[in-house]
Amino acid sequence: MSQTVILGALELGGIFAVLSLGLYISYKVLNIPDLTVDGSFTLGTAVSAMFTINAMPYLGILASFLIGAVAGMVTGLLITKLKIMPLLSGILTMTGLYSINLAIMNDTPTISLFDQTTIFSGLNEVTVYGKLIIIYIIVVLIVIILDLFLRTQLGLSLRACGDNEDMVRASSIDTDKMKVLGLAIANGFVAMSGAIFAQHQSFADVNSGIGMMVIGLASIIVGMTFIKKEKIIFQLIAVVFGAIFYRGVLTVALQLGLPSGYLKLLSAVLVIIAIASTNGAFKSKKRRRKSC
């Protein structure tokens, strides 16, 4: 593989690491399967693209996080106030976001950012590693921020809400607020990932979020299959490693001649294998064979 291909894989791995770190909050910390992800990722790309066109790429990253957090809050309110099932709440928000994303993009399905100044423009002119450096600075900062946050009183309450909601409620902690907060943070980072992705790829597409839930799950499950540590910092590192490893596998598959149309199928297979291995499905089969 050429240097360009390897750098591209590492860069996308870092971008998807931001996505996976957001999904880690909803999926692992809160134990909520949030399908808002596919919509909030596209929301981030749309907002980032519009800000970039107006020569405000850095503000576009921040705005994407904030608007993504609002999308997460909507899902949280559907779950807590309207008592709608988490899966259905995520689907409803994701469906509504499709129209909102189109409206943000002025009813055009694709926006080109070629020849626009992005967060990568300055450093990328100095070194070919410019994009890689910026992406991983962002990833490291997010890991540090999340590690510090999840060890605060508020962060511990958030973690406890996912572990044992009844116990947390008995401790006079508002679990509804914890869910809304957690989903807001999660989708904020997912939208930020979309914002970085749009500026990295130099375009925003209204369908760019399709399959992002699978990518995030694959990164989390694969990463935690390799790094089995209970401490939060190790789990966050595992998520980042999983995203990079996942993207590396897809890149190798493409280099070996796999048609790009089959990448979603490969992603699904990777998730199935990772989940089956963590559940001990393969071990149980081996034991049955030995007993026979």
Side-chain angles (χ1 to χ4, degrees), residues 133-212:
I133 292 169
I134 292 172
I135 289 170
Y136 281 93
I137 286 174
I138 294 172
V139 171
V140 170
L141 286 175
I142 292 173
V143 168
I144 293 171
I145 290 169
L146 283 179
D147 179 51
L148 293 174
F149 169 71
L150 291 172
R151 286 191 283 152
T152 62
Q153 189 65 41
L154 184 60
L156 290 170
S157 299
L158 197 67
R159 291 161 60 186
C161 181
D163 288 336
N164 193 328
E165 186 176 338
D166 293 332
M167 183 193 72
V168 172
R169 194 179 290 112
S171 302
S172 301
I173 296 174
D174 193 332
T175 56
D176 287 353
K177 287 183 179 178
M178 291 297 104
K179 290 179 182 178
V180 173
L181 173 64
L183 289 172
I185 295 171
N187 285 280
F189 283 123
V190 170
M192 179 184 286
S193 174
I196 300 168
F197 181 81
Q199 295 191 35
H200 178 270
Q201 298 290 303
S202 296
F203 76 92
D205 188 280
V206 75
N207 295 312
S208 58
I210 296 175
M212 289 300 154

Side-chain angles (χ1 to χ4, degrees), residues 276 280-292:
F282 299 134
K283 290 181 181 179
S284 61
K285 287 182 179 179
K286 289 179 182 178
R287 287 172 185 170
R288 286 173 190 170
R289 288 173 185 172
K290 287 180 180 179
S291 61
C292 293

Side-chain angles (χ1 to χ4, degrees), residues 3 12 74 88 90 93 120 126 133 137 174-175 215-216 245 250 264 290:
Q3 183 186 29
L12 288 176
V74 171
L88 183 56
T93 307
F120 305 108
V126 178
I133 292 169
I137 286 174
D174 193 332
T175 56
I215 291 175
F245 179 84
L250 295 188
K264 300 296 184 184
K290 287 180 180 179

Side-chain angles (χ1 to χ4, degrees), residues 195-273:
I196 300 168
F197 181 81
Q199 295 191 35
H200 178 270
Q201 298 290 303
S202 296
F203 76 92
D205 188 280
V206 75
N207 295 312
S208 58
I210 296 175
M212 289 300 154
M213 179 71 175
V214 175
I215 291 175
L217 281 177
S219 302
I220 293 170
I221 295 168
V222 170
M224 292 188 174
T225 301
F226 286 103
I227 303 175
K228 299 176 181 179
K229 298 285 186 180
E230 293 298 324
K231 289 187 69 174
I232 290 295
I233 186 63
F234 288 114
Q235 291 192 1
L236 295 174
I237 292 171
V239 171
V240 174
F241 170 78
I244 298 168
F245 179 84
Y246 167 83
R247 188 61 217 180
V249 170
L250 295 188
T251 301
V252 171
L254 286 172
Q255 291 299 304
L256 291 176
L258 180 74
S260 58
Y262 289 90
L263 286 180
K264 300 296 184 184
L265 177 61
L266 179 59
S267 299
V269 171
L270 284 174
V271 174
I272 291 170
I273 293 172

Side-chain angles (χ1 to χ4, degrees), residues 70-90:
V70 172
M73 288 176 63
V74 171
T75 301
L77 291 172
L78 290 177
I79 294 171
T80 57
K81 302 304 179 184
L82 300 184
K83 307 302 179 184
I84 300 174
M85 293 174 56
L87 278 173
L88 183 56
S89 297

